[in-house]
Amino acid sequence: MTTELQRSPTRRPLQMSQLGLHLMIAFLLLLSLVPTVIMINLSFKNGLQYRWERWTLSLPLRGSNYLSAWDVIDAYMINTVLVAVVGLAGVLILSLIGGYVFARMRFPLREPLYYAIIALLMVPWVLSFIPAYMLYNNLGLLNTRWALIIPNVAGGPIFGIFLMRAFITGIPEELYESARCDGAGAWSLIWRITFPLSLPGLATLSVLNFVAEWNSFLWPLVTISDMSKQVISVGLFRLSRTTNDLVDFGSGGPLFAGYVLASIPLVILFIVLGKFYVEGLVESGIKM
Amino acid sequence: MSSAQSTRTDSAAGGRRLWRRRTEATPLSWRAFRRSWQAYALLSPIFILLIVFVYYPPILGLVRAFFRWRPGVPATFVGLDNFVTYFTYAETPHELVNIVKLLVFGLFAGIVMPFIMAELIFFVRSAALKELYRLLVIIPMLVPGIVTVLLWQKLYDPYLGPINDMLRAMGLEHLALNWLGEHRIAIYAIMFVGFPWVWGVGTLIYLGGLGQISDSVYEAAALDGCTGVGRVLRIDIPLVLGQVRLLAILAIINAITAFQNILVLTDGGPGFSTMVPGLTMFHSAFRAQKFGYSSAIGLLLFIIAMSGTLIINRGIRPANEELRQ
């Protein structure tokens, strides 16, 4: 009652400031979206429209740009999905197992081993980039898809174990007690109890890992020389180098259509798992 | 399995004899190891992968920074030669100046802009709109990183780019520059990529921190007449220092080690005007095949990034935990 009374005199100026807030947020969001809007607009133009009506909406929309773009980048897209999904499966399994072991099992050297993993989060990639290239070279893994899958499967569980340990610690102990009374071993405790209950944590990990894989550029650029095995980031980079807008008018529109297509898997992922993505980022800011 | 386990315990205790004596003295520890074989078995695939592919490369890099190292040729020890070469290289001071510029800007763009956006969203009253904004900040991140950079390259295009089209339309023909092709401007054009730098990850990390601040703190502040900007300065900033620290560390590591945008936009040019040590590391390995020299630059960057991280860790101390929920 008293709070209502205190608030009412200040209500009107507050609403004005709320309006100002919305305007400022909208302004900043719109500015951030300018390149995206330009990309989508250009993706529907043919050569002449690209030359004379670059920054306005011009009809007809050339949807066929998307077909020509897909013809060029389909292999890159499929390669990236393949590599990212296989790697992600490995990351999820290892992170679930590792998270369970560190959260639920008691054994000597548990904490030292855990910190031996987490400390790796502090090593910047710049120190390992060059020697890792030589390692994959010596193992004969260059120019194979393993060169793209292994780094993720080996390195992904570092953050994955950190995330899943925190998540699995939150599962009530009684569930494990009763399963143990029924004679369940470690394996079935992981798959029958931990796995179904930690799906939200695994979803967060999946989004973060997939986005990182989809964006990876420098490592595939140096390790994969065969373009038929190449991933989308490098594929688009090479395409942008080989098409010249001034000479080759037809390439402008399809190139931008390719950029849009490359964003679609991330959009789908966001629509399906966006909530976990946002929550994962918000949470990681609190825990660090 | 148990035999593999026993060898592991052996080496942990430092030799067979010592191990025997130890088991006699403290039989429990040996039994504890044996009883826990399942935990070690479950962790073994993780550690095998980590040792080969995550621990080994940086250690190898640390060692090979002191070698002449090329693929297919045995490495030879050269002492500090690689470091001397880098520090006497004529372009090095220029590269370090560029890194300082990128660092100063990176701290601003990575810490301040997301904070402003997070505060704006945090002050929104309507819960539904708050939720909506939280989702909308993510949208620019749905475009792959490389596409964003390639798009900005198009925006900067001197003939077909919208920036120069706009300047010409406003009659400012003389300002329509070749943004990525001028010695003095290129490095700033590279920084400007991503304007207005409302970075979704940073914004969400701040929102997480702001959401943790206890309501009672805000109630007490409101009673003292501390609202609006005053509250942001006196309450919010001190209480999100943990998040500031995290983002500062990320910004420092990024400014010192990242060169992807530069590689794509200018490849260090025009001339050497946008070169950074990371790009020199990249070029010396993959164009000149000097992997030892390249590892040395990598080690230097690691040391710089690590010292920056330590300074930030010491310098920024998060406020009292009791004020959080």
Side-chain angles (χ1 to χ4, degrees):
Chain A
M1 194 62 205
T2 45
T3 49
E4 270 306 307
L5 280 175
Q6 279 168 349
R7 233 180 235 169
S8 51
T10 53
R11 186 162 256 176
R12 187 163 284 169
L14 263 179
Q15 273 180 346
M16 280 304 289
S17 69
Q18 283 286 305
L19 184 67
L21 273 183
H22 292 300
L23 286 176
M24 274 197 276
I25 294 172
F27 180 68
L28 284 173
L29 285 176
L30 282 176
L31 271 181
S32 325
L33 288 177
V34 165
T36 315
V37 173
I38 288 177
M39 165 178 81
I40 294 170
N41 184 30
L42 287 177
S43 75
F44 285 106
K45 293 186 189 301
N46 70 6
L48 283 174
Q49 289 168 312
Y50 186 66
R51 184 74 188 89
W52 301 111
E53 301 169 313
R54 281 194 292 283
W55 315 120
T56 54
L57 185 72
S58 63
L59 295 170
L61 299 177
R62 312 285 171 165
S64 62
N65 283 349
Y66 281 83
L67 291 176
S68 9
W70 177 254
D71 277 345
V72 181
I73 64 163
D74 54 350
Y76 305 138
M77 296 278 280
I78 293 165
N79 284 338
T80 321
V81 172
L82 184 78
V83 165
V85 167
V86 173
L88 178 60
V91 171
L92 291 180
I93 292 171
L94 293 179
S95 304
L96 181 67
I97 293 175
Y100 171 81
V101 170
F102 285 116
R104 290 288 166 184
M105 297 179 89
R106 295 160 126 244
F107 53 94
L109 297 180
R110 181 176 76 175
E111 293 308 304
L113 287 176
Y114 177 69
Y115 285 107
I117 296 178
I118 299 310
L120 291 169
L121 285 173
M122 298 291 290
V123 180
W125 62 276
V126 72
L127 188 60
S128 13
F129 191 75
I130 302 298
Y133 173 85
M134 290 297 257
L135 173 67
Y136 283 81
N137 182 26
N138 293 339
L139 293 175
L141 293 172
L142 289 189
N143 213 12
T144 69
R145 290 196 176 83
W146 292 114
L148 304 177
I149 295 170
I150 293 174
N152 190 17
V153 175
I158 299 170
F159 179 72
I161 288 171
F162 170 74
L163 193 81
M164 293 316 295
R165 183 193 195 181
F167 201 91
I168 293 168
T169 308
I171 298 174
E173 177 62 22
E174 296 84 57
L175 292 170
Y176 289 99
E177 295 264 318
S178 57
R180 272 193 213 105
C181 288
D182 296 343
W187 202 245
S188 71
L189 287 177
I190 293 176
W191 294 112
R192 298 254 177 84
I193 295 179
T194 315
F195 173 64
L197 289 174
S198 49
L199 282 176
L202 291 173
T204 303
L205 184 58
S206 305
V207 194
L208 295 173
N209 189 273
F210 191 89
V211 172
E213 274 303 288
W214 197 260
N215 279 318
S216 76
F217 173 72
L218 288 172
W219 181 251
L221 180 70
V222 298
T223 54
I224 305 294
S225 47
D226 184 351
M227 284 309 275
S228 70
K229 292 175 192 153
Q230 197 47 277
V231 296
I232 186 70
S233 288
V234 182
L236 292 176
F237 173 63
R238 295 253 191 258
L239 273 181
S240 79
R241 285 289 179 280
T242 50
T243 55
N244 184 338
D245 307 324
L246 284 173
V247 183
D248 185 6
F249 283 131
S251 65
L255 184 64
F256 290 101
Y259 292 172
V260 176
L261 286 176
S263 316
I264 286 178
L266 295 183
V267 173
I268 294 173
L269 192 72
F270 181 68
I271 291 170
V272 180
L273 296 174
K275 192 181 129 237
F276 297 104
Y277 190 32
V278 172
E279 264 159 32
L281 292 174
V282 170
E283 287 289 308
S284 64
I286 297 167
K287 291 201 181 99
M288 292 267 174
Chain B
M1 198 61 237
S2 82
S3 76
Q5 216 43 61
S6 75
T7 40
R8 188 169 186 159
T9 324
D10 269 358
S11 59
R16 199 166 185 84
R17 204 175 256 179
L18 184 62
W19 164 72
R20 270 208 185 125
R21 212 186 303 146
R22 264 204 172 178
T23 45
E24 280 158 18
T26 53
L28 252 181
S29 84
W30 165 234
R31 224 181 274 162
F33 271 107
R34 238 184 106 141
R35 225 188 296 135
S36 317
W37 69 268
Q38 256 188 339
Y40 300 116
L42 287 168
L43 289 180
S44 58
I46 295 169
F47 272 97
I48 290 168
L49 283 168
L50 282 180
I51 288 165
V52 178
F53 294 104
V54 184
Y55 280 110
Y56 176 63
I59 294 169
L60 183 68
L62 220 65
V63 174
R64 288 298 159 90
F66 303 92
F67 282 72
R68 183 175 293 121
W69 191 27
R70 281 162 192 273
V73 181
T76 47
F77 182 75
V78 293
L80 290 171
D81 274 13
N82 290 327
F83 298 92
V84 173
T85 313
Y86 184 67
F87 280 118
T88 50
Y89 171 53
E91 294 300 331
T92 300
H94 193 88
E95 291 182 359
L96 297 177
V97 169
N98 277 342
I99 271 212
V100 172
K101 285 180 187 168
L102 290 168
L103 183 63
V104 170
F105 169 77
L107 286 170
F108 165 76
I111 296 176
V112 179
M113 286 311 291
F115 180 73
I116 292 174
M117 193 60 178
E119 279 290 354
L120 289 175
I121 296 177
F122 191 60
F123 269 103
V124 168
R125 279 255 200 80
S126 144
L129 281 173
K130 222 177 205 174
E131 194 66 28
L132 177 72
Y133 291 142
R134 262 169 42 141
L135 291 175
L136 288 177
V137 239
I138 297 290
I139 288 185
M141 291 168 57
L142 301 182
V143 179
I146 187 79
V147 170
T148 306
V149 180
L150 292 173
L151 277 172
W152 275 87
Q153 195 167 33
K154 294 284 178 190
L155 301 189
Y156 281 134
D157 191 299
Y159 308 107
L160 296 170
I163 294 176
N164 281 358
D165 276 354
M166 206 168 67
L167 288 169
R168 284 191 204 104
M170 289 159 68
L172 299 167
E173 189 81 30
H174 60 287
L175 282 180
L177 301 168
N178 182 2
W179 301 99
L180 292 168
E182 304 246 356
H183 283 261
R184 289 195 173 174
I185 304 169
I187 188 83
Y188 302 105
I190 287 170
M191 291 176 190
F192 199 75
V193 167
F195 176 82
W197 317 293
V198 176
W199 179 42
V201 173
T203 307
L204 291 179
I205 285 177
Y206 276 127
L207 278 171
L210 290 170
Q212 289 286 100
I213 298 172
S214 149
D215 287 338
S216 60
V217 173
Y218 282 138
E219 279 158 23
L223 284 177
D224 291 344
C226 179
T227 52
V229 178
R231 193 201 80 190
V232 171
L233 294 177
R234 268 174 266 156
I235 296 178
D236 293 4
I237 291 180
L239 287 177
V240 293
L241 279 182
Q243 281 72 32
V244 172
R245 183 169 68 176
L246 172 65
L247 293 177
I249 290 172
L250 291 179
I252 287 177
I253 293 179
N254 189 54
I256 289 165
T257 64
F259 55 86
Q260 179 175 320
N261 289 8
I262 301 178
L263 178 75
V264 172
L265 290 173
T266 63
D267 200 15
F272 290 94
S273 60
T274 54
M275 279 305 280
V276 289
L279 196 53
T280 301
M281 174 189 93
F282 187 83
H283 285 167
S284 14
F286 301 108
R287 291 189 190 161
Q289 303 283 303
K290 294 184 198 163
F291 282 81
Y293 180 55
S294 185
S295 301
I297 301 175
L299 178 57
L300 282 174
L301 290 175
F302 168 71
I303 292 169
I304 299 172
M306 233 22 204
S307 340
T309 305
L310 290 176
I311 291 169
I312 292 289
N313 250 335
R314 286 280 159 83
I316 303 181
R317 293 180 177 279
N320 201 336
E321 289 294 320
E322 286 161 22
L323 299 177
R324 294 162 164 270
Q325 273 170 349

